Amino acid sequence: MISKINLVKINSILIILFPFAMVSGPLIPEIFLSVIVFSFIYLVVSLKKYFYFDNNFIKFFSLIFIVLNISSLINFNLISIKSSLFYFRFGLFAMAIFFFLNEDKKLLKNFFKFFSLLILIFLIDSLYQFFTGTNLIGMTQNMNGRISSFFGHELIMGSFFSHLFLFYFTLFLWIKPKINKLAITIIILSFLILIFLSASRTSMAIFFLSLFFLIIILKEFKLFFIIIL
């Protein structure tokens, strides 16, 4: 039987590797998610830490889950019903991440390091693909000139990084409370290059909206963000 310490370590590794798994397609992330959620439930029950199931987040998420399912049933859309029925796993996944962050104090920093490595790999690979026509593992550039890097024929690189920009930026601020303007500039330019090379106008719009949001909430760096924009 796997001990609590080993189970926490295994799930910490899965969480750290989760961004890399997302690049591979939907199957591996779903497997990771399922393992993490089931491990979380097992540990909560075995350790009798039931307070993880009794908090405002779970109550609010349960309300959203009920509303989504009622809406799907009223419209009687089979695709919508299937999506909303299994939506509960995302709430459990969020609580599982919270649980393992509490159990493994190094998890957040390690996750940030590997996430940064993923961004660096994509940045190098996409630039290489832009200048040579193929990426580092031989995937060819799309016929219309859009860069997809390791996503291959799926032109979702821009969407992937534009939606993760604020998440990554929040991690950076959490881990590095003393804000380094040079580091912020590098982060913004890295995401900007990746999204620009993907040639997705929607992703670019999301990225600039995210920057606008940062200008609003980080007032002490308002002028700095405006200059970058």
Side-chain angles (χ1 to χ4, degrees):
M1 190 174 183
I2 302 176
S3 67
K4 174 205 164 185
I5 296 173
N6 289 333
L7 199 56
V8 169
K9 286 182 179 179
I10 291 169
N11 282 275
S12 293
I13 293 170
L14 293 181
I15 292 169
I16 289 169
L17 296 176
F18 203 85
F20 288 87
M22 289 171 68
V23 178
S24 66
L27 179 61
I28 295 178
E30 282 291 344
I31 294 172
F32 278 24
L33 185 148
S34 299
V35 172
I36 292 168
V37 167
F38 281 117
S39 298
F40 160 66
I41 294 171
Y42 170 76
L43 287 170
V44 165
V45 173
S46 61
L47 298 172
K48 293 181 170 52
K49 294 186 177 183
Y50 299 112
F51 60 86
Y52 279 101
F53 295 129
D54 184 21
N55 54 70
N56 291 330
F57 171 77
I58 289 294
K59 292 173 184 176
F60 182 68
F61 186 85
S62 297
L63 179 63
I64 294 173
F65 176 71
I66 292 168
V67 170
L68 285 173
N69 279 277
I70 291 173
S71 176
S72 297
L73 287 170
I74 290 172
N75 292 309
F76 200 70
N77 186 314
L78 291 176
I79 296 175
S80 179
I81 291 171
K82 182 182 177 182
S83 298
S84 59
L85 194 61
F86 293 98
Y87 191 75
F88 70 90
R89 70 192 193 280
F90 295 117
L92 290 174
F93 182 60
M95 289 310 303
I97 298 297
F98 180 55
F99 173 84
F100 288 112
L101 284 173
N102 286 334
E103 295 296 323
D104 184 354
K105 300 303 180 184
K106 295 181 180 179
L107 176 56
L108 193 62
K109 286 187 177 180
N110 290 333
F111 178 83
F112 179 76
K113 289 176 183 177
F114 274 81
F115 200 169
S116 301
L117 177 62
L118 177 70
I119 294 167
L120 178 61
I121 292 171
F122 262 91
L123 188 61
I124 294 170
D125 187 75
S126 59
L127 285 170
Y128 184 82
Q129 190 178 49
F130 176 74
F131 288 111
T132 65
T134 59
N135 76 338
L136 295 173
I137 59 173
M139 291 182 174
T140 57
Q141 185 176 323
N142 192 271
M143 291 296 291
N144 58 15
R146 295 178 63 180
I147 303 300
S148 59
S149 188
F150 295 107
F151 287 108
H153 296 296
E154 292 187 85
L155 302 175
I156 58 172
M157 187 175 79
S159 175
F160 182 80
F161 284 104
S162 64
H163 285 92
L164 288 175
F165 171 65
L166 278 181
F167 175 68
Y168 180 82
F169 200 92
T170 304
L171 279 178
F172 171 76
L173 294 180
W174 187 271
I175 293 170
K176 308 283 185 180
K178 292 182 179 179
I179 297 178
N180 184 321
K181 290 185 178 180
L182 176 61
I184 290 175
T185 305
I186 292 171
I187 290 170
I188 292 173
L189 287 177
S190 296
F191 276 86
L192 177 61
I193 291 169
L194 287 167
I195 296 165
F196 178 76
L197 290 176
S198 73
S200 171
R201 287 174 289 182
T202 303
S203 300
M204 189 63 75
I206 292 170
F207 175 72
F208 281 117
L209 281 172
S210 300
L211 279 182
F212 182 72
F213 177 73
L214 290 176
I215 290 172
I216 295 172
I217 63 170
L218 297 175
K219 293 180 180 179
E220 66 270 31
F221 293 95
K222 188 173 182 178
L223 179 61
F224 174 69
F225 283 119
I226 290 173
I227 291 170
I228 291 178
L229 272 172

